[in-house]
Every structure is written in C-alpha cells, then in structure tokens.
Amino acid sequence: MINKVTKTDEQWRKELSPEAYEVLRRQGTEPAFSGPYDQTTEPGLYRCAGCGNELFLSDSKYDAGCGWPSFVAPADQSHVELEADNRYGMERVEVRCSRCGGHLGHVFDDGPGPTGKRYCINSVALTLDPKK
Ligand code: FE
C-alpha cells in the first residue's frame, strides 16, 4: 500500500522549484532537450521530485531522441497511475505519480522491447538517486 501524499496548492508552490511545480502540479511540459536527465546514463533510481516515490530504474532508461528522459517501464506499475489526456486535440495517456498525484509525463506505444512502451517523463519531475 502506498501512503498518499496530500498537500495544498500553496504548500506545493512553496516546496517545489518553479519548474517542478509547473510540471507536477500544473501538468506542464519542460522544453525538449532542456532537462537535466535527458542525456543521463548514470545508474540509479529516479524518484518523484514531489514526494520521493520510487518511479523508474536507470536500467529501463533509453535514448528515444525525443528530448525527454524515456523509460520502457516504471519501477513498479503500482507506483504510477495512467489517465486519458485529450488536451490540445491529442489523444495521449498521462502518467501520474500514484503517491502525490503529480503529473510526470505521458506514455506512448512506440517504445522498444517487449512492452513497446515509451514512458516520456519530464526531467524536473524526477530526482535521481545514484546507485551506491
Ligand atoms: Fe509523487
């Protein structure tokens, strides 16, 4: 069971960087190729920048060339929630953190490997915990 993290909008605004707030709490998207983890190959665990939830392992990260960190699968399927997102005239599937509800990015069906999934995630929504 995941303990949910619930905070007011004002609390989030105070605690998060302006960039992380915009993505996690306002469903924003960081500019392509701008994020700190786009090209990162360092081994470790990517946690939610909002609540620390364990989201993605570096083993599942690959370079999709799209400008955002891309993963074939979450560390644990129960740590993310998927939701239809039809904003901007596009049919996409939104990826949210299951603990704090923060917006992470979207998942697409053009990924490599057996699942064919590409979890396209905003860098600023993540914090890399390097492997020790
Ligand atoms: Fe979270």
Side-chain angles (χ1 to χ4, degrees):
M1 266 304 271
I2 284 183
N3 291 319
K4 299 272 182 189
V5 171
T6 316
K7 294 179 184 179
T8 65
D9 188 58
E10 198 186 332
Q11 280 178 298
W12 285 120
R13 200 187 284 269
K14 268 188 210 155
E15 288 176 21
L16 299 171
S17 71
E19 295 77 19
Y21 175 81
E22 185 58 29
V23 169
L24 285 166
R25 310 314 309 179
R26 307 286 302 162
Q27 281 183 283
T29 301
E30 71 194 9
F33 304 103
S34 74
Y37 299 132
D38 178 34
Q39 296 294 322
T40 305
T41 55
E42 196 178 351
L45 168 67
Y46 288 88
R47 293 177 178 277
C48 175
C51 73
N53 194 9
E54 302 176 355
L55 296 177
F56 298 97
L57 296 169
S58 56
D59 290 351
S60 69
K61 190 175 189 289
Y62 73 104
D63 185 5
C66 61
W68 294 277
S70 300
F71 304 87
V72 294
D76 188 313
Q77 200 68 47
S78 73
H79 292 191
V80 296
E81 282 170 359
L82 306 181
E83 207 168 316
D85 174 10
N86 298 325
R87 295 177 304 150
Y88 311 116
M90 291 180 276
E91 284 186 23
R92 295 183 294 174
V93 177
E94 181 190 3
V95 184
R96 286 178 175 267
C97 170
S98 64
R99 186 185 278 163
C100 71
H103 172 80
L104 304 172
H106 294 88
V107 58
F108 301 95
D109 288 326
D110 58 11
T115 65
K117 297 293 182 191
R118 170 171 60 101
Y119 285 78
C120 182
I121 305 299
N122 289 276
S123 278
V124 298
L126 301 172
T127 309
L128 176 58
D129 222 350
K131 201 178 219 168
K132 284 161 196 104

PDB file of all heavy atoms in Angstrom, residues 77-108:
ATOM      1  N   GLN A  77       4.603  -1.003 -11.426  1.00  0.00           N
ATOM      2  CA  GLN A  77       3.419  -0.473 -12.119  1.00  0.00           C
ATOM      3  C   GLN A  77       2.475   0.252 -11.153  1.00  0.00           C
ATOM      4  O   GLN A  77       1.800   1.202 -11.536  1.00  0.00           O
ATOM      5  CB  GLN A  77       2.687  -1.613 -12.844  1.00  0.00           C
ATOM      6  CG  GLN A  77       1.750  -1.152 -13.952  1.00  0.00           C
ATOM      7  CD  GLN A  77       2.481  -0.551 -15.160  1.00  0.00           C
ATOM      8  OE1 GLN A  77       3.444  -1.123 -15.653  1.00  0.00           O
ATOM      9  NE2 GLN A  77       2.042   0.609 -15.623  1.00  0.00           N
ATOM     10  N   SER A  78       2.464  -0.169  -9.893  1.00  0.00           N
ATOM     11  CA  SER A  78       1.544   0.449  -8.930  1.00  0.00           C
ATOM     12  C   SER A  78       2.024   1.824  -8.464  1.00  0.00           C
ATOM     13  O   SER A  78       1.299   2.529  -7.769  1.00  0.00           O
ATOM     14  CB  SER A  78       1.350  -0.464  -7.717  1.00  0.00           C
ATOM     15  OG  SER A  78       2.505  -0.459  -6.903  1.00  0.00           O
ATOM     16  N   HIS A  79       3.242   2.189  -8.854  1.00  0.00           N
ATOM     17  CA  HIS A  79       3.763   3.493  -8.420  1.00  0.00           C
ATOM     18  C   HIS A  79       3.372   4.626  -9.368  1.00  0.00           C
ATOM     19  O   HIS A  79       3.665   5.784  -9.115  1.00  0.00           O
ATOM     20  CB  HIS A  79       5.290   3.442  -8.260  1.00  0.00           C
ATOM     21  CG  HIS A  79       5.722   2.577  -7.122  1.00  0.00           C
ATOM     22  ND1 HIS A  79       7.009   2.551  -6.637  1.00  0.00           N
ATOM     23  CD2 HIS A  79       5.020   1.694  -6.350  1.00  0.00           C
ATOM     24  CE1 HIS A  79       7.099   1.697  -5.629  1.00  0.00           C
ATOM     25  NE2 HIS A  79       5.911   1.157  -5.447  1.00  0.00           N
ATOM     26  N   VAL A  80       2.752   4.245 -10.485  1.00  0.00           N
ATOM     27  CA  VAL A  80       2.253   5.268 -11.410  1.00  0.00           C
ATOM     28  C   VAL A  80       0.772   5.014 -11.691  1.00  0.00           C
ATOM     29  O   VAL A  80       0.279   3.895 -11.542  1.00  0.00           O
ATOM     30  CB  VAL A  80       3.028   5.286 -12.754  1.00  0.00           C
ATOM     31  CG1 VAL A  80       4.486   5.671 -12.529  1.00  0.00           C
ATOM     32  CG2 VAL A  80       2.911   3.965 -13.492  1.00  0.00           C
ATOM     33  N   GLU A  81       0.092   6.084 -12.075  1.00  0.00           N
ATOM     34  CA  GLU A  81      -1.305   5.975 -12.496  1.00  0.00           C
ATOM     35  C   GLU A  81      -1.406   6.522 -13.910  1.00  0.00           C
ATOM     36  O   GLU A  81      -0.764   7.524 -14.230  1.00  0.00           O
ATOM     37  CB  GLU A  81      -2.203   6.804 -11.560  1.00  0.00           C
ATOM     38  CG  GLU A  81      -2.468   6.109 -10.246  1.00  0.00           C
ATOM     39  CD  GLU A  81      -3.145   6.995  -9.216  1.00  0.00           C
ATOM     40  OE1 GLU A  81      -3.392   8.182  -9.511  1.00  0.00           O
ATOM     41  OE2 GLU A  81      -3.393   6.487  -8.118  1.00  0.00           O
ATOM     42  N   LEU A  82      -2.180   5.834 -14.730  1.00  0.00           N
ATOM     43  CA  LEU A  82      -2.338   6.258 -16.121  1.00  0.00           C
ATOM     44  C   LEU A  82      -3.747   6.806 -16.322  1.00  0.00           C
ATOM     45  O   LEU A  82      -4.718   6.242 -15.811  1.00  0.00           O
ATOM     46  CB  LEU A  82      -2.091   5.071 -17.063  1.00  0.00           C
ATOM     47  CG  LEU A  82      -0.763   4.339 -16.878  1.00  0.00           C
ATOM     48  CD1 LEU A  82      -0.627   3.214 -17.888  1.00  0.00           C
ATOM     49  CD2 LEU A  82       0.416   5.300 -16.994  1.00  0.00           C
ATOM     50  N   GLU A  83      -3.822   7.883 -17.070  1.00  0.00           N
ATOM     51  CA  GLU A  83      -5.126   8.538 -17.256  1.00  0.00           C
ATOM     52  C   GLU A  83      -5.191   9.139 -18.662  1.00  0.00           C
ATOM     53  O   GLU A  83      -4.199   9.679 -19.145  1.00  0.00           O
ATOM     54  CB  GLU A  83      -5.252   9.648 -16.222  1.00  0.00           C
ATOM     55  CG  GLU A  83      -6.675   9.963 -15.845  1.00  0.00           C
ATOM     56  CD  GLU A  83      -6.725  10.853 -14.602  1.00  0.00           C
ATOM     57  OE1 GLU A  83      -5.973  10.578 -13.644  1.00  0.00           O
ATOM     58  OE2 GLU A  83      -7.491  11.801 -14.621  1.00  0.00           O
ATOM     59  N   ALA A  84      -6.364   9.041 -19.274  1.00  0.00           N
ATOM     60  CA  ALA A  84      -6.536   9.631 -20.604  1.00  0.00           C
ATOM     61  C   ALA A  84      -6.369  11.141 -20.524  1.00  0.00           C
ATOM     62  O   ALA A  84      -6.863  11.780 -19.603  1.00  0.00           O
ATOM     63  CB  ALA A  84      -7.921   9.294 -21.141  1.00  0.00           C
ATOM     64  N   ASP A  85      -5.640  11.688 -21.468  1.00  0.00           N
ATOM     65  CA  ASP A  85      -5.404  13.134 -21.534  1.00  0.00           C
ATOM     66  C   ASP A  85      -5.675  13.589 -22.964  1.00  0.00           C
ATOM     67  O   ASP A  85      -4.885  13.316 -23.860  1.00  0.00           O
ATOM     68  CB  ASP A  85      -3.956  13.445 -21.132  1.00  0.00           C
ATOM     69  CG  ASP A  85      -3.609  14.915 -21.323  1.00  0.00           C
ATOM     70  OD1 ASP A  85      -4.525  15.719 -21.581  1.00  0.00           O
ATOM     71  OD2 ASP A  85      -2.417  15.254 -21.209  1.00  0.00           O
ATOM     72  N   ASN A  86      -6.816  14.242 -23.155  1.00  0.00           N
ATOM     73  CA  ASN A  86      -7.192  14.660 -24.507  1.00  0.00           C
ATOM     74  C   ASN A  86      -7.043  16.161 -24.713  1.00  0.00           C
ATOM     75  O   ASN A  86      -7.665  16.748 -25.590  1.00  0.00           O
ATOM     76  CB  ASN A  86      -8.635  14.214 -24.808  1.00  0.00           C
ATOM     77  CG  ASN A  86      -8.752  12.695 -24.766  1.00  0.00           C
ATOM     78  OD1 ASN A  86      -7.832  11.983 -25.153  1.00  0.00           O
ATOM     79  ND2 ASN A  86      -9.867  12.194 -24.269  1.00  0.00           N
ATOM     80  N   ARG A  87      -6.170  16.769 -23.906  1.00  0.00           N
ATOM     81  CA  ARG A  87      -5.939  18.204 -24.064  1.00  0.00           C
ATOM     82  C   ARG A  87      -5.213  18.498 -25.377  1.00  0.00           C
ATOM     83  O   ARG A  87      -4.487  17.658 -25.903  1.00  0.00           O
ATOM     84  CB  ARG A  87      -5.093  18.736 -22.903  1.00  0.00           C
ATOM     85  CG  ARG A  87      -5.768  18.650 -21.539  1.00  0.00           C
ATOM     86  CD  ARG A  87      -4.827  19.133 -20.453  1.00  0.00           C
ATOM     87  NE  ARG A  87      -3.571  18.383 -20.477  1.00  0.00           N
ATOM     88  CZ  ARG A  87      -2.400  18.891 -20.104  1.00  0.00           C
ATOM     89  NH1 ARG A  87      -2.304  20.133 -19.711  1.00  0.00           N
ATOM     90  NH2 ARG A  87      -1.308  18.144 -20.148  1.00  0.00           N
ATOM     91  N   TYR A  88      -5.356  19.690 -25.847  1.00  0.00           N
ATOM     92  CA  TYR A  88      -4.647  20.173 -27.044  1.00  0.00           C
ATOM     93  C   TYR A  88      -4.958  19.350 -28.293  1.00  0.00           C
ATOM     94  O   TYR A  88      -4.150  19.251 -29.212  1.00  0.00           O
ATOM     95  CB  TYR A  88      -3.124  20.211 -26.828  1.00  0.00           C
ATOM     96  CG  TYR A  88      -2.708  20.900 -25.553  1.00  0.00           C
ATOM     97  CD1 TYR A  88      -2.058  20.193 -24.551  1.00  0.00           C
ATOM     98  CD2 TYR A  88      -2.978  22.245 -25.343  1.00  0.00           C
ATOM     99  CE1 TYR A  88      -1.677  20.813 -23.361  1.00  0.00           C
ATOM    100  CE2 TYR A  88      -2.610  22.874 -24.169  1.00  0.00           C
ATOM    101  CZ  TYR A  88      -1.960  22.162 -23.185  1.00  0.00           C
ATOM    102  OH  TYR A  88      -1.594  22.770 -22.017  1.00  0.00           O
ATOM    103  N   GLY A  89      -6.150  18.715 -28.329  1.00  0.00           N
ATOM    104  CA  GLY A  89      -6.542  17.972 -29.520  1.00  0.00           C
ATOM    105  C   GLY A  89      -5.737  16.720 -29.768  1.00  0.00           C
ATOM    106  O   GLY A  89      -5.699  16.211 -30.885  1.00  0.00           O
ATOM    107  N   MET A  90      -5.050  16.207 -28.726  1.00  0.00           N
ATOM    108  CA  MET A  90      -4.269  14.980 -28.873  1.00  0.00           C
ATOM    109  C   MET A  90      -4.827  13.920 -27.938  1.00  0.00           C
ATOM    110  O   MET A  90      -5.250  14.237 -26.825  1.00  0.00           O
ATOM    111  CB  MET A  90      -2.798  15.224 -28.500  1.00  0.00           C
ATOM    112  CG  MET A  90      -2.055  16.094 -29.468  1.00  0.00           C
ATOM    113  SD  MET A  90      -0.340  16.316 -28.925  1.00  0.00           S
ATOM    114  CE  MET A  90      -0.508  17.677 -27.764  1.00  0.00           C
ATOM    115  N   GLU A  91      -4.824  12.671 -28.401  1.00  0.00           N
ATOM    116  CA  GLU A  91      -5.222  11.575 -27.526  1.00  0.00           C
ATOM    117  C   GLU A  91      -3.972  10.969 -26.926  1.00  0.00           C
ATOM    118  O   GLU A  91      -3.260  10.212 -27.576  1.00  0.00           O
ATOM    119  CB  GLU A  91      -5.987  10.512 -28.325  1.00  0.00           C
ATOM    120  CG  GLU A  91      -7.399  10.923 -28.637  1.00  0.00           C
ATOM    121  CD  GLU A  91      -8.197   9.813 -29.293  1.00  0.00           C
ATOM    122  OE1 GLU A  91      -7.843   8.627 -29.136  1.00  0.00           O
ATOM    123  OE2 GLU A  91      -9.175  10.152 -29.980  1.00  0.00           O
ATOM    124  N   ARG A  92      -3.684  11.342 -25.696  1.00  0.00           N
ATOM    125  CA  ARG A  92      -2.489  10.824 -25.038  1.00  0.00           C
ATOM    126  C   ARG A  92      -2.859  10.175 -23.715  1.00  0.00           C
ATOM    127  O   ARG A  92      -3.976  10.334 -23.215  1.00  0.00           O
ATOM    128  CB  ARG A  92      -1.493  11.965 -24.781  1.00  0.00           C
ATOM    129  CG  ARG A  92      -0.959  12.583 -26.060  1.00  0.00           C
ATOM    130  CD  ARG A  92       0.062  13.656 -25.771  1.00  0.00           C
ATOM    131  NE  ARG A  92      -0.546  14.797 -25.085  1.00  0.00           N
ATOM    132  CZ  ARG A  92       0.155  15.840 -24.612  1.00  0.00           C
ATOM    133  NH1 ARG A  92       1.480  15.856 -24.734  1.00  0.00           N
ATOM    134  NH2 ARG A  92      -0.459  16.843 -24.016  1.00  0.00           N
ATOM    135  N   VAL A  93      -1.927   9.418 -23.175  1.00  0.00           N
ATOM    136  CA  VAL A  93      -2.129   8.807 -21.860  1.00  0.00           C
ATOM    137  C   VAL A  93      -1.154   9.465 -20.893  1.00  0.00           C
ATOM    138  O   VAL A  93       0.064   9.398 -21.066  1.00  0.00           O
ATOM    139  CB  VAL A  93      -1.911   7.282 -21.905  1.00  0.00           C
ATOM    140  CG1 VAL A  93      -2.061   6.688 -20.506  1.00  0.00           C
ATOM    141  CG2 VAL A  93      -2.892   6.633 -22.870  1.00  0.00           C
ATOM    142  N   GLU A  94      -1.726  10.116 -19.917  1.00  0.00           N
ATOM    143  CA  GLU A  94      -0.934  10.822 -18.928  1.00  0.00           C
ATOM    144  C   GLU A  94      -0.370   9.848 -17.891  1.00  0.00           C
ATOM    145  O   GLU A  94      -1.043   8.887 -17.515  1.00  0.00           O
ATOM    146  CB  GLU A  94      -1.827  11.863 -18.230  1.00  0.00           C
ATOM    147  CG  GLU A  94      -1.104  12.675 -17.186  1.00  0.00           C
ATOM    148  CD  GLU A  94      -2.049  13.517 -16.349  1.00  0.00           C
ATOM    149  OE1 GLU A  94      -3.276  13.431 -16.544  1.00  0.00           O
ATOM    150  OE2 GLU A  94      -1.530  14.246 -15.488  1.00  0.00           O
ATOM    151  N   VAL A  95       0.848  10.112 -17.426  1.00  0.00           N
ATOM    152  CA  VAL A  95       1.461   9.325 -16.353  1.00  0.00           C
ATOM    153  C   VAL A  95       1.539  10.207 -15.111  1.00  0.00           C
ATOM    154  O   VAL A  95       2.086  11.306 -15.165  1.00  0.00           O
ATOM    155  CB  VAL A  95       2.886   8.857 -16.730  1.00  0.00           C
ATOM    156  CG1 VAL A  95       3.464   7.964 -15.629  1.00  0.00           C
ATOM    157  CG2 VAL A  95       2.887   8.129 -18.062  1.00  0.00           C
ATOM    158  N   ARG A  96       0.965   9.711 -14.024  1.00  0.00           N
ATOM    159  CA  ARG A  96       0.994  10.438 -12.760  1.00  0.00           C
ATOM    160  C   ARG A  96       1.666   9.610 -11.678  1.00  0.00           C
ATOM    161  O   ARG A  96       1.630   8.380 -11.715  1.00  0.00           O
ATOM    162  CB  ARG A  96      -0.435  10.735 -12.275  1.00  0.00           C
ATOM    163  CG  ARG A  96      -1.143  11.822 -13.037  1.00  0.00           C
ATOM    164  CD  ARG A  96      -2.565  11.990 -12.504  1.00  0.00           C
ATOM    165  NE  ARG A  96      -3.212  13.113 -13.150  1.00  0.00           N
ATOM    166  CZ  ARG A  96      -3.209  14.359 -12.656  1.00  0.00           C
ATOM    167  NH1 ARG A  96      -2.630  14.611 -11.501  1.00  0.00           N
ATOM    168  NH2 ARG A  96      -3.795  15.333 -13.311  1.00  0.00           N
ATOM    169  N   CYS A  97       2.237  10.282 -10.700  1.00  0.00           N
ATOM    170  CA  CYS A  97       2.768   9.612  -9.518  1.00  0.00           C
ATOM    171  C   CYS A  97       1.585   9.142  -8.684  1.00  0.00           C
ATOM    172  O   CYS A  97       0.679   9.917  -8.386  1.00  0.00           O
ATOM    173  CB  CYS A  97       3.629  10.583  -8.712  1.00  0.00           C
ATOM    174  SG  CYS A  97       4.090   9.930  -7.094  1.00  0.00           S
ATOM    175  N   SER A  98       1.598   7.858  -8.300  1.00  0.00           N
ATOM    176  CA  SER A  98       0.442   7.328  -7.574  1.00  0.00           C
ATOM    177  C   SER A  98       0.418   7.774  -6.116  1.00  0.00           C
ATOM    178  O   SER A  98      -0.585   7.597  -5.431  1.00  0.00           O
ATOM    179  CB  SER A  98       0.411   5.804  -7.646  1.00  0.00           C
ATOM    180  OG  SER A  98       1.538   5.265  -6.994  1.00  0.00           O
ATOM    181  N   ARG A  99       1.535   8.331  -5.641  1.00  0.00           N
ATOM    182  CA  ARG A  99       1.542   8.747  -4.236  1.00  0.00           C
ATOM    183  C   ARG A  99       1.075  10.187  -4.049  1.00  0.00           C
ATOM    184  O   ARG A  99       0.281  10.480  -3.166  1.00  0.00           O
ATOM    185  CB  ARG A  99       2.933   8.578  -3.629  1.00  0.00           C
ATOM    186  CG  ARG A  99       2.971   8.849  -2.132  1.00  0.00           C
ATOM    187  CD  ARG A  99       4.363   8.807  -1.585  1.00  0.00           C
ATOM    188  NE  ARG A  99       4.818   7.458  -1.321  1.00  0.00           N
ATOM    189  CZ  ARG A  99       6.092   7.131  -1.159  1.00  0.00           C
ATOM    190  NH1 ARG A  99       7.029   8.036  -1.261  1.00  0.00           N
ATOM    191  NH2 ARG A  99       6.434   5.883  -0.926  1.00  0.00           N
ATOM    192  N   CYS A 100       1.573  11.097  -4.882  1.00  0.00           N
ATOM    193  CA  CYS A 100       1.206  12.518  -4.700  1.00  0.00           C
ATOM    194  C   CYS A 100       0.308  13.039  -5.819  1.00  0.00           C
ATOM    195  O   CYS A 100      -0.131  14.188  -5.767  1.00  0.00           O
ATOM    196  CB  CYS A 100       2.454  13.382  -4.573  1.00  0.00           C
ATOM    197  SG  CYS A 100       3.394  13.586  -6.100  1.00  0.00           S
ATOM    198  N   GLY A 101       0.054  12.198  -6.833  1.00  0.00           N
ATOM    199  CA  GLY A 101      -0.807  12.623  -7.929  1.00  0.00           C
ATOM    200  C   GLY A 101      -0.129  13.579  -8.899  1.00  0.00           C
ATOM    201  O   GLY A 101      -0.785  14.117  -9.791  1.00  0.00           O
ATOM    202  N   GLY A 102       1.165  13.796  -8.729  1.00  0.00           N
ATOM    203  CA  GLY A 102       1.881  14.745  -9.579  1.00  0.00           C
ATOM    204  C   GLY A 102       1.967  14.273 -11.025  1.00  0.00           C
ATOM    205  O   GLY A 102       2.148  13.088 -11.297  1.00  0.00           O
ATOM    206  N   HIS A 103       1.836  15.212 -11.945  1.00  0.00           N
ATOM    207  CA  HIS A 103       1.963  14.906 -13.376  1.00  0.00           C
ATOM    208  C   HIS A 103       3.429  14.652 -13.704  1.00  0.00           C
ATOM    209  O   HIS A 103       4.309  15.443 -13.363  1.00  0.00           O
ATOM    210  CB  HIS A 103       1.439  16.086 -14.198  1.00  0.00           C
ATOM    211  CG  HIS A 103       1.708  15.960 -15.668  1.00  0.00           C
ATOM    212  ND1 HIS A 103       0.931  15.177 -16.494  1.00  0.00           N
ATOM    213  CD2 HIS A 103       2.661  16.510 -16.453  1.00  0.00           C
ATOM    214  CE1 HIS A 103       1.405  15.253 -17.737  1.00  0.00           C
ATOM    215  NE2 HIS A 103       2.445  16.063 -17.741  1.00  0.00           N
ATOM    216  N   LEU A 104       3.701  13.527 -14.374  1.00  0.00           N
ATOM    217  CA  LEU A 104       5.083  13.172 -14.710  1.00  0.00           C
ATOM    218  C   LEU A 104       5.361  13.333 -16.202  1.00  0.00           C
ATOM    219  O   LEU A 104       6.443  13.769 -16.593  1.00  0.00           O
ATOM    220  CB  LEU A 104       5.367  11.718 -14.300  1.00  0.00           C
ATOM    221  CG  LEU A 104       5.117  11.362 -12.824  1.00  0.00           C
ATOM    222  CD1 LEU A 104       5.238   9.861 -12.618  1.00  0.00           C
ATOM    223  CD2 LEU A 104       6.102  12.110 -11.923  1.00  0.00           C
ATOM    224  N   GLY A 105       4.415  12.933 -17.019  1.00  0.00           N
ATOM    225  CA  GLY A 105       4.611  12.980 -18.467  1.00  0.00           C
ATOM    226  C   GLY A 105       3.540  12.135 -19.127  1.00  0.00           C
ATOM    227  O   GLY A 105       2.403  12.065 -18.646  1.00  0.00           O
ATOM    228  N   HIS A 106       3.899  11.472 -20.229  1.00  0.00           N
ATOM    229  CA  HIS A 106       2.935  10.645 -20.963  1.00  0.00           C
ATOM    230  C   HIS A 106       3.585   9.321 -21.350  1.00  0.00           C
ATOM    231  O   HIS A 106       4.810   9.203 -21.375  1.00  0.00           O
ATOM    232  CB  HIS A 106       2.454  11.368 -22.226  1.00  0.00           C
ATOM    233  CG  HIS A 106       1.647  12.594 -21.923  1.00  0.00           C
ATOM    234  ND1 HIS A 106       2.229  13.838 -21.734  1.00  0.00           N
ATOM    235  CD2 HIS A 106       0.308  12.773 -21.752  1.00  0.00           C
ATOM    236  CE1 HIS A 106       1.276  14.715 -21.461  1.00  0.00           C
ATOM    237  NE2 HIS A 106       0.102  14.106 -21.470  1.00  0.00           N
ATOM    238  N   VAL A 107       2.740   8.331 -21.659  1.00  0.00           N
ATOM    239  CA  VAL A 107       3.264   7.051 -22.137  1.00  0.00           C
ATOM    240  C   VAL A 107       2.733   6.812 -23.550  1.00  0.00           C
ATOM    241  O   VAL A 107       1.558   7.055 -23.837  1.00  0.00           O
ATOM    242  CB  VAL A 107       2.922   5.889 -21.166  1.00  0.00           C
ATOM    243  CG1 VAL A 107       1.425   5.730 -20.952  1.00  0.00           C
ATOM    244  CG2 VAL A 107       3.536   4.579 -21.664  1.00  0.00           C
ATOM    245  N   PHE A 108       3.650   6.381 -24.429  1.00  0.00           N
ATOM    246  CA  PHE A 108       3.324   6.157 -25.837  1.00  0.00           C
ATOM    247  C   PHE A 108       3.628   4.707 -26.213  1.00  0.00           C
ATOM    248  O   PHE A 108       4.378   4.016 -25.518  1.00  0.00           O
ATOM    249  CB  PHE A 108       4.138   7.111 -26.727  1.00  0.00           C
ATOM    250  CG  PHE A 108       3.904   8.565 -26.412  1.00  0.00           C
ATOM    251  CD1 PHE A 108       4.747   9.255 -25.549  1.00  0.00           C
ATOM    252  CD2 PHE A 108       2.821   9.246 -26.959  1.00  0.00           C
ATOM    253  CE1 PHE A 108       4.527  10.601 -25.249  1.00  0.00           C
ATOM    254  CE2 PHE A 108       2.591  10.589 -26.667  1.00  0.00           C
ATOM    255  CZ  PHE A 108       3.455  11.268 -25.807  1.00  0.00           C
TER     256      PHE A 108
END
